[in-house]
């Protein structure tokens, strides 16, 4: 069974392609598996292909999706994530967001396990006791899974799951009412959570196995130092100092990531 | 500002950062103690070490992994070596890191500034 990592990246207001180059470099360093970029023509032209084993062009429809980041409205394209099942060149795939930075070999253990479908249940916040990493749709609904990283095998059941995610996207408002989540923008996290719930027999069983929780950074935290000994951060709300080392990071502050990306590249050249 | 309060606030900053760093090291060690073996996922802890030690003489066994699924371990001796090796490696690193932060007496030093 061949295994590898796939990263989706479509440039928009944010240079996701550049983020993907860094994410791929870290995956190769710490997990030592091949990496495939899934992108569109425009992004592909802007991205250095050297780090990727394959680049797959898969245009995605222009999305009206947007999020607020550091006070600005940022457009992004995330509507074809479920197509990973058909696009991946690997039998066992690690799917990560382009802002997911691997700084440990922990996921390698999970790649080598027998579990067919694994997804993140939780994120650990950079600051203990700060809320934000545990998300529920509503008090009466589901605990959200994070589609930031997923490991899956090509199995008939998983094919059903990924097709179901597409169906949920197409009927977003309906599922929003049913599962009581905010439908103003499409979130893969929500779609995969609902899909896993349905695939589990509506909660009778558990479809997925949990992946380790990476550290979560909100869009307000800043990176103030990068070195071989670790990364030093100051948190946005309370100005707390935090140092991280050998821990995987979901860096949701994309503007900060791009501002400091040369520091990372210099560190890992 | 009153000097007494300035010193107390500096100390509060330090303790806050120390608390975060301690938690961070604990989370990291816990994550590193999870290993994959024969397709299953196992958290290495004192219970697992004791259990493996007590059944090692049988050579092979089915052991339930972290998710409660049965995993056939064909070579218990090799599994034991892996479990104990991981435990020593991770806890020794944890101790080194823990001792290092204990010696740092300011918030800035704790985060290498």
């Amino acid at each position: 069974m061949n295994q590898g990592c796939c990263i989706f990246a479509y440039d928009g207001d944010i240079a996701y392609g550049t983020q993907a180059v860094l994410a791929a470099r870290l995956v190769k360093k710490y997990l030592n598996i091949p990496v495939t970029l899934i992108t569109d023509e425009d992004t592909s032209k802007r991205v250095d292909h050297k780090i990727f084993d394959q680049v797959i062009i898969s245009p995605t429809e222009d999305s009206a999706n947007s999020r607020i980041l550091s006070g600005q409205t940022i457009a992004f394209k995330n509507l074809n994530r479920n197509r990973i099942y058909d696009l991946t060149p690997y039998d066992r795939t690690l799917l990560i967001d382009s802002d997911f930075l691997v700084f440990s070999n922990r996921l390698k253990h999970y790649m080598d396990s027998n579990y067919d479908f694994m997804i993140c249940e939780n994120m650990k916040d950079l600051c203990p006791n700060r809320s934000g990493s545990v998300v529920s749709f509503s008090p009466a609904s589901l605990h959200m899974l994070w589609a930031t990283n997923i490991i899956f095998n090509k199995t008939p059941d998983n094919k059903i799951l990924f097709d179901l995610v597409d169906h949920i996207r197409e009927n977003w408002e309906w599922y929003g009412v049913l599962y009581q989540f905010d439908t103003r923008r499409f979130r893969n996290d929500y779609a995969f959570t609902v899909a896993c719930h349905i695939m589990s027999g509506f909660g009778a069983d558990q479809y997925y196995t949990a992946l380790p929780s990476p550290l979560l950074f909100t869009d307000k935290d800043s990176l103030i130092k990068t070195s071989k000994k670790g990364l030093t951060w100051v948190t946005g709300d309370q100005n707390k100092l935090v140092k991280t080392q050998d821990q995987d990071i979901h860096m949701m502050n994309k503007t900060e990531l791009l501002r400091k990306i040369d520091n990372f590249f210099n560190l890992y050249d | 500002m009153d000097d007494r309060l300035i010193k107390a606030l500096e100390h509060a900053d330090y303790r806050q950062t120390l608390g975060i760093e301690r938690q961070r090291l604990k989370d990291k060690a816990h994550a590193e103690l999870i290993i994959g073996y024969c397709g299953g996922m196992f958290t290495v802890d004192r219970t697992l070490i004791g259990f493996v030690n007590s059944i090692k003489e049988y050579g092979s066994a089915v052991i339930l992994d972290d998710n409660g699924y049965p995993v056939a371990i064909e070579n218990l001796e090799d599994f034991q070596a892996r479990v104990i090796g991981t435990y020593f490696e991770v806890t020794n690193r944890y101790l080194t890191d823990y001792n290092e932060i204990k010696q740092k007496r300011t918030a800035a030093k704790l985060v290498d500034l």
Side-chain angles (χ1 to χ4, degrees):
Chain A
M1 180 186 278
N2 71 334
Q3 52 176 236
C5 173
C6 289
I7 305 171
F8 281 83
Y10 296 92
D11 282 358
D13 292 335
I14 297 279
Y16 288 100
T18 307
Q19 288 182 11
V21 172
L22 174 63
R25 197 177 282 196
L26 293 169
V27 166
K28 292 214 157 184
K29 176 178 168 62
Y30 289 100
L31 304 181
N32 194 25
I33 54 175
V35 182
T36 293
L37 174 68
I38 301 170
T39 187
D40 57 14
E41 289 282 1
D42 284 350
T43 309
S44 172
K45 284 176 195 161
R46 283 191 284 269
V47 166
D48 183 358
H49 285 206
K50 274 186 300 202
I51 193 73
F52 299 105
D53 296 85
Q54 290 187 53
V55 175
I56 295 173
I57 303 297
S58 173
T60 182
E61 54 195 282
D62 278 342
S63 162
N65 244 350
S66 62
R67 61 163 68 96
I68 305 291
L69 201 60
S70 304
Q72 289 182 301
T73 304
I74 305 289
F76 65 101
K77 300 171 184 176
N78 69 337
L79 299 186
N80 65 340
R81 185 73 61 93
N82 66 297
R83 292 205 57 224
I84 184 66
Y85 186 90
D86 298 313
L87 293 170
T88 179
Y90 311 113
D91 301 320
R92 187 165 178 79
T93 302
L94 166 66
L95 171 65
I96 61 169
D97 283 359
S98 60
D99 59 358
F100 183 78
L101 306 180
V102 173
F103 289 107
S104 78
N105 67 353
R106 281 195 300 163
L107 285 170
K108 186 71 180 138
H109 291 287
Y110 294 77
M111 283 298 276
D112 293 338
S113 76
N114 283 344
Y115 294 111
D116 283 335
F117 186 84
M118 310 179 92
I119 189 167
C120 253
E121 268 184 332
N122 292 301
M123 296 272 170
K124 280 193 190 298
D125 202 298
L126 177 63
C127 267
N129 306 323
R130 185 172 63 175
S131 62
S133 53
V134 178
V135 181
S136 290
F137 290 171
S138 77
S141 190
L142 303 176
H143 170 84
M144 190 188 85
L145 304 175
W146 291 81
T148 307
N149 47 359
I150 292 173
I151 292 175
F152 69 94
N153 288 338
K154 284 205 172 194
T155 66
D157 285 353
N158 282 340
K159 170 69 174 158
I160 295 170
L161 177 111
F162 283 97
D163 286 346
L164 178 60
V165 170
D166 203 31
H167 162 79
I168 291 165
R169 182 179 63 78
E170 287 172 6
N171 298 277
W172 192 236
E173 299 289 334
W174 160 248
Y175 281 99
V177 172
L178 192 63
Y179 281 91
Q180 302 172 26
F181 59 74
D182 183 350
T183 58
R184 280 176 293 181
R185 63 186 168 97
F186 175 74
R187 279 191 73 167
N188 279 295
D189 302 320
Y190 291 4
F192 276 94
T193 304
V194 171
C196 283
H197 181 247
I198 294 172
M199 291 294 288
S200 71
F202 297 95
D205 194 6
Q206 184 158 300
Y207 186 78
Y208 65 89
T209 305
L211 282 172
S213 303
L215 290 173
L216 169 77
F217 292 81
T218 70
D219 63 351
K220 290 172 185 160
D221 303 329
S222 301
L223 177 62
I224 53 174
K225 187 180 173 188
T226 50
S227 78
K228 294 273 185 200
K229 286 176 70 182
L231 310 173
T232 304
W233 311 78
V234 61
T235 63
D237 290 334
Q238 297 132 318
N239 288 326
K240 289 179 183 169
L241 289 167
V242 183
K243 185 188 155 199
T244 62
Q245 190 178 12
D246 306 330
Q247 286 170 290
D248 300 342
I249 291 169
H250 180 203
M251 194 167 169
M252 293 179 80
N253 188 348
K254 293 161 184 62
T255 46
E256 178 73 0
L257 173 56
L258 286 169
R259 253 199 306 271
K260 304 288 168 56
I261 206 154
D262 285 340
N263 297 9
F264 285 109
F265 284 138
N266 292 337
L267 210 55
Y268 294 101
D269 268 344
Chain B
M1 200 188 297
D2 189 320
D3 271 355
R4 291 169 299 180
L5 181 58
I6 290 171
K7 280 181 183 166
L9 290 177
E10 279 173 3
H11 188 73
D13 270 353
Y14 161 71
R15 293 302 299 212
Q16 195 175 58
T17 309
L18 180 66
I20 292 170
E21 290 313 299
R22 276 184 177 155
Q23 184 64 43
R24 196 66 50 228
L25 289 181
K26 194 173 172 184
D27 290 344
K28 181 168 162 264
H30 179 75
E32 289 171 349
L33 283 168
I34 300 172
I35 59 166
Y37 194 88
C38 287
M41 301 301 302
F42 298 90
T43 298
V44 173
D45 57 14
R46 289 169 296 183
T47 307
L48 182 67
I49 291 169
F51 177 62
V52 174
N53 196 39
S54 68
I55 62 169
K56 188 180 66 173
E57 63 187 271
Y58 294 100
S60 63
V62 175
I63 298 182
L64 304 185
D65 80 349
D66 284 356
N67 296 296
Y69 295 121
V71 179
I73 308 289
E74 300 296 339
N75 185 343
L76 279 172
E77 204 167 316
D78 181 66
F79 184 52
Q80 185 195 38
R82 177 84 186 283
V83 165
I84 291 178
T86 301
Y87 189 81
F88 283 163
E89 186 187 327
V90 173
T91 51
N92 280 321
R93 189 162 51 230
Y94 186 11
L95 178 68
T96 305
D97 292 346
Y98 191 80
N99 285 338
E100 194 178 311
I101 65 166
K102 269 204 315 194
Q103 289 166 3
K104 296 179 175 175
R105 302 302 296 170
T106 67
K109 281 183 182 164
L110 278 169
V111 296
D112 284 342
L113 284 180

